[in-house]
Amino acid sequence: MRTMLNIANYEVRHILKDRVAFAIVFLAPLFFAFLMGSVYYSAAINDVPFALVDLDNSLASREVADYFSTGQHFKINPEIDTCEKMEKAMREGIIRGGIVVPEDFSKKLARKQSTEVLVVYDASNLLWGYNIRKFAYEGMDEFNRRYAAAYLQSMGMHPAQSDEVLNLVNCSIMTWYNPTYSYINFLYAGVIFIILHQLGLLGVTLTIPREKEGNTWIHYLASPLERWQIIFGKSLPYIIAGIFNYALLLWFAHHFILLKIEGSILLIALLGFLYTCAIIFLGFFISLYAENSLQISRYLILLSIPIFMISGYTWPRYRIPGIIIAISELTPFTWMAEAFRKVTIKNLGFPDIAYNVLGLSIMIVIGLALSGTFRKDREPIAEDKIRVNGGPEYPRRV
């Protein structure tokens, strides 16, 4: 144990001396979490830039306009009052949607004829498109209800009776787990985990190439140290740093970005420990067989986006091809992201994430097994050769 801690101490000294390594391990996670949190801080989309073109200019059309102009969903641009201006503003990105009330709107209503308003929206961004469509349907449903109530009352029906007629069938909607439809609760935890995943991998995978480039890795291979001592000694600082960053980013996300974190603290801690260990041990294996630091940096950049996309975190897994799902299950991120959402958003217990815990545990065992595949050359240590001793300075000449 003392030898392993000495190796860890040696690794920590390298991290503290190397400014880039120190930034990757300790500073970059919080910086990226803050940056991403600033993007998603609003949590929901409101004040959508919108245009309202009223070609009828009647009492009925103004009632339609009232909903779109007085609520929090839309921010009406008063300068856009024609279809031509609306089309131009949509092309230039000044607005994201608009509504056109036709000229004969009030006349058709008076004759009890079917009529319609035109709602257009920019669906190049699906979030804009989905929210505008949802808000527009809500607005027109509200107008129809008010208009029908006014019509029934004009026919002599008491307001209470008209309300009863219009509310014969009610739809009771109960939203579970994320009632505010917060985009932070949907996405931000996954952003945190991909940050920890990629920066944790980057930190640990640079350790062995650094030793190889400095011609010091051979000292470990020729030393009497056991493989497990080298693996744990080199990995321990990164495991501790990973757990620290995990706790720090969750604290930051909960208190400043308002990420919903409920459920068992023990389960959250267990998931963080398993996730970190799986990343570090798999990263140590990668570092053993990487040719140089540049090769590692290139590969990790290529991995970051696919890992997030194929995990099923933002898209239903049953709509993803089976072969891609199988590939995604080879990464710790997939198991962690699903389990964390179950615990913190759905407030589920251990039986509901036991499969995920098992998956992360298996990945730790596989990572350790693969990390122990490197070849050690045991040779007698001559007095004039470099050897690894039991002190804090690794390695040194005796």
Side-chain angles (χ1 to χ4, degrees):
M1 177 62 72
R2 183 179 173 221
T3 301
M4 184 185 71
L5 292 177
N6 285 336
I7 297 175
N9 180 41
Y10 166 68
E11 189 66 26
V12 169
R13 292 191 178 190
H14 267 291
I15 296 173
L16 296 178
K17 289 179 180 179
D18 189 333
R19 293 181 180 179
V20 175
F22 180 81
I24 291 173
V25 174
F26 292 106
L27 302 181
L30 184 59
F31 169 74
F32 283 119
F34 171 77
L35 183 64
M36 298 298 181
S38 300
V39 173
Y40 300 113
Y41 181 74
S42 60
I45 294 180
N46 286 315
D47 294 328
V48 178
F50 208 70
L52 197 155
V53 179
D54 186 357
L55 302 178
D56 191 50
N57 197 25
S58 63
L59 178 62
S61 65
R62 285 193 290 273
E63 288 180 0
V64 173
D66 281 345
Y67 173 83
F68 290 89
S69 59
T70 58
Q72 63 176 348
H73 299 317
F74 298 105
K75 184 176 182 179
I76 303 298
N77 190 324
E79 298 180 359
I80 303 173
D81 54 4
T82 66
C83 293
E84 292 76 14
K85 290 181 179 180
M86 182 177 69
E87 183 180 357
K88 183 175 183 294
M90 287 276 283
R91 286 200 310 268
E92 297 175 353
I94 297 174
I95 60 172
R96 292 295 179 175
I99 182 171
V100 180
V101 182
E103 295 179 354
D104 55 356
F105 180 74
S106 59
K107 292 181 180 179
K108 286 188 174 182
L109 285 180
R111 294 195 295 263
K112 307 302 181 291
Q113 294 179 350
S114 176
T115 186
E116 64 181 18
V117 297
L118 174 65
V119 175
V120 295
Y121 56 86
D122 181 358
S124 61
N125 184 313
L126 291 181
L127 287 176
W128 285 115
Y130 167 78
N131 282 279
I132 292 173
R133 182 173 179 173
K134 173 177 174 289
F135 298 153
Y137 274 125
E138 290 176 356
M140 295 315 303
D141 285 344
E142 177 65 17
F143 174 81
N144 282 327
R145 193 193 69 78
R146 291 180 182 178
Y147 182 81
Y151 175 74
L152 292 175
Q153 292 170 25
S154 69
M155 299 293 292
M157 184 175 290
H158 191 274
Q161 291 178 311
S162 66
D163 288 339
E164 290 178 0
V165 171
L166 293 173
N167 294 298
L168 288 177
V169 178
N170 292 316
C171 178
S172 180
I173 299 177
M174 180 179 294
T175 305
W176 289 6
Y177 309 130
N178 189 16
T180 61
Y181 296 96
S182 170
Y183 204 64
I184 287 177
N185 293 335
F186 168 66
L187 182 68
Y188 191 63
V191 172
I192 287 178
F193 297 141
I194 204 65
I195 290 172
L196 294 173
H197 190 284
Q198 293 305 99
L199 294 179
L201 273 182
L202 182 60
V204 72
T205 50
L206 292 176
T207 57
I208 307 304
R210 184 195 66 220
E211 301 286 359
K212 291 177 180 178
E213 292 165 2
N215 294 321
T216 55
W217 179 235
I218 187 63
H219 306 151
Y220 289 95
L221 300 181
S223 72
L225 296 171
E226 298 292 338
R227 285 187 179 89
W228 70 267
Q229 291 177 311
I230 298 175
I231 295 170
F232 281 97
K234 299 288 280 185
S235 301
L236 185 59
Y238 299 97
I239 292 175
I240 294 174
I243 295 173
F244 168 79
N245 285 324
Y246 174 77
L248 176 64
L249 295 193
L250 290 187
W251 173 84
F252 170 80
H254 181 62
H255 286 85
F256 295 97
I257 311 299
L258 305 182
L259 174 68
K260 179 182 177 182
I261 300 180
E262 297 180 352
S264 170
I265 298 297
L266 291 178
L267 287 182
I268 295 173
L270 174 64
L271 289 174
F273 174 76
L274 295 176
Y275 183 60
T276 301
C277 289
I279 292 171
I280 299 306
F281 292 135
L282 289 173
F284 186 88
F285 164 69
I286 295 172
S287 73
L288 286 172
Y289 297 98
E291 295 181 2
N292 51 58
S293 303
L294 179 61
Q295 185 184 66
I296 287 175
S297 302
R298 287 174 175 174
Y299 289 162
L300 290 184
I301 291 174
L302 294 176
L303 284 174
S304 58
I305 296 177
I307 287 175
F308 191 80
M309 293 180 64
I310 70 177
S311 67
Y313 188 77
T314 59
W315 189 254
R317 287 172 63 85
Y318 76 93
R319 302 301 299 171
I320 299 177
I323 183 64
I324 296 181
I325 288 294
I327 294 173
S328 73
E329 291 178 349
L330 300 177
T331 67
F333 176 85
T334 299
W335 300 94
M336 176 62 178
E338 181 184 33
F340 188 84
R341 179 177 279 172
K342 288 180 178 180
V343 173
T344 60
I345 302 297
K346 296 185 175 182
N347 204 1
L348 301 181
F350 181 81
D352 300 290
I353 64 166
Y355 187 66
N356 302 78
V357 171
L358 178 62
L360 288 171
S361 301
I362 290 175
M363 299 196 79
I364 291 174
V365 174
I366 292 175
L368 283 171
L370 293 175
S371 296
T373 57
F374 64 93
R375 182 172 174 265
K376 274 191 95 279
D377 296 321
R378 293 176 177 270
E379 298 178 354
I381 302 175
E383 289 298 323
D384 59 342
K385 297 290 183 68
I386 295 178
R387 70 179 184 183
V388 178
N389 64 7
E393 300 294 334
Y394 277 83
R396 73 179 181 85
R397 188 175 296 276
V398 296

